[in-house]
Amino acid sequence: MSALECPHSGQFTQTERTTPKRSRERVTYEREAAYQVLDEALFVDLAFVGPDGAPRVLPTFHVRVGDTLFVHGSTGSSMGLGGREEFAVSATATVVDGLVYSKSWFHHSMNYRSVVVHANARLVTDADERWNVFKALIDRMGEGRSERSREASDKENAMSALLAIPLEEVSIKQRSGPPIEEPEDEDLPFENGVATVTTTVAGRL
């Protein structure tokens, strides 16, 4: 089994926190679709309450290994990772597939796939697990990149933290297709449609 394969299949269990108040028709709990978004997105936004009681949201590089999401941080960051081992987080990842242009302001939108994760994150302390996850993070930048760069020194390791976020309470919300138009707007002399959005890496080293 490769690093990004997962033994689970099917759907995540719907919970109160993963049940939306609006646009419920856009939400599913398909595990494979959620993992595809996490694997495709370049970063996740990690939300948590800091040690001082203030809320924070940080963009951070990530990798999915099986049914666990790992994010990289600093032991001296505002997460306060040097002083706690487990805490509640929410992580989001979004891939924008298109800009949706409507004939009305109200119906302008985006075609997107977005994943929301709720979990208790744990600090990764096992040396072997840390090495394997850091390797997976580097290889996510480019296949085999960990073999073409220096491993972290003891000092760099001491400065680096890893959080493991179990993928158990997860939902995926998405929109696709053309713009929505009100019947009375159909004959307005304005262009509408969808502009495709893609992320391209010009070259990998």
Side-chain angles (χ1 to χ4, degrees):
M1 185 175 67
S2 71
L4 298 185
E5 289 178 343
C6 179
H8 300 292
S9 61
Q11 297 196 351
F12 294 103
T13 300
Q14 182 178 350
T15 68
E16 182 178 356
R17 291 194 295 186
T18 61
T19 301
K21 299 295 190 294
R22 297 181 65 253
S23 301
R24 295 190 178 190
E25 72 281 0
R26 295 183 181 178
V27 175
T28 66
Y29 303 92
E30 298 174 8
R31 188 180 297 270
E32 182 177 352
Y35 286 174
Q36 182 177 349
V37 172
L38 290 171
D39 294 347
E40 187 175 341
L42 292 181
F43 65 93
V44 298
D45 289 308
L46 186 69
F48 58 95
V49 176
D52 59 357
R56 291 178 173 83
V57 179
L58 296 178
T60 182
F61 193 58
H62 70 286
V63 67
R64 180 182 66 84
V65 180
D67 56 359
T68 303
L69 179 69
F70 292 92
V71 298
H72 172 267
S74 168
T75 53
S77 72
S78 58
M79 295 183 196
L81 297 182
R84 51 180 175 170
E85 294 183 355
E86 185 173 308
F87 56 98
V89 301
S90 180
T92 66
T94 301
V95 176
V96 177
D97 296 313
L99 299 179
V100 180
Y101 297 92
S102 171
K103 295 189 176 186
S104 67
W105 288 12
F106 183 77
H107 288 302
H108 277 68
S109 186
M110 289 190 296
N111 285 340
Y112 66 92
R113 292 164 287 143
S114 181
V115 167
V116 177
V117 180
H118 299 281
N120 285 328
R122 64 174 174 85
L123 193 61
V124 179
T125 58
D126 179 79
D128 289 338
E129 184 180 19
R130 281 173 57 88
W131 189 90
N132 287 326
V133 173
F134 274 124
K135 183 179 186 299
L137 277 166
I138 300 303
D139 285 337
R140 189 167 186 261
M141 299 285 290
E143 185 177 356
R145 183 61 193 170
S146 63
E147 305 297 327
R148 301 190 299 276
S149 52
R150 174 181 63 80
E151 293 184 23
S153 66
D154 290 342
K155 180 181 179 180
E156 290 165 338
N157 262 319
M159 296 168 59
S160 303
L162 281 174
L163 281 180
I165 303 171
L167 295 170
E168 298 171 353
E169 195 172 356
V170 180
S171 63
I172 177 171
K173 191 174 184 179
Q174 50 196 330
R175 185 201 189 281
S176 61
I180 297 171
E181 302 291 2
E182 299 296 337
E184 61 269 25
D185 293 338
E186 291 289 353
D187 293 330
L188 291 176
F190 305 127
E191 293 186 22
N192 63 354
V194 178
T196 300
V197 174
T198 59
T199 300
T200 302
V201 179
R204 296 187 185 272
L205 301 178

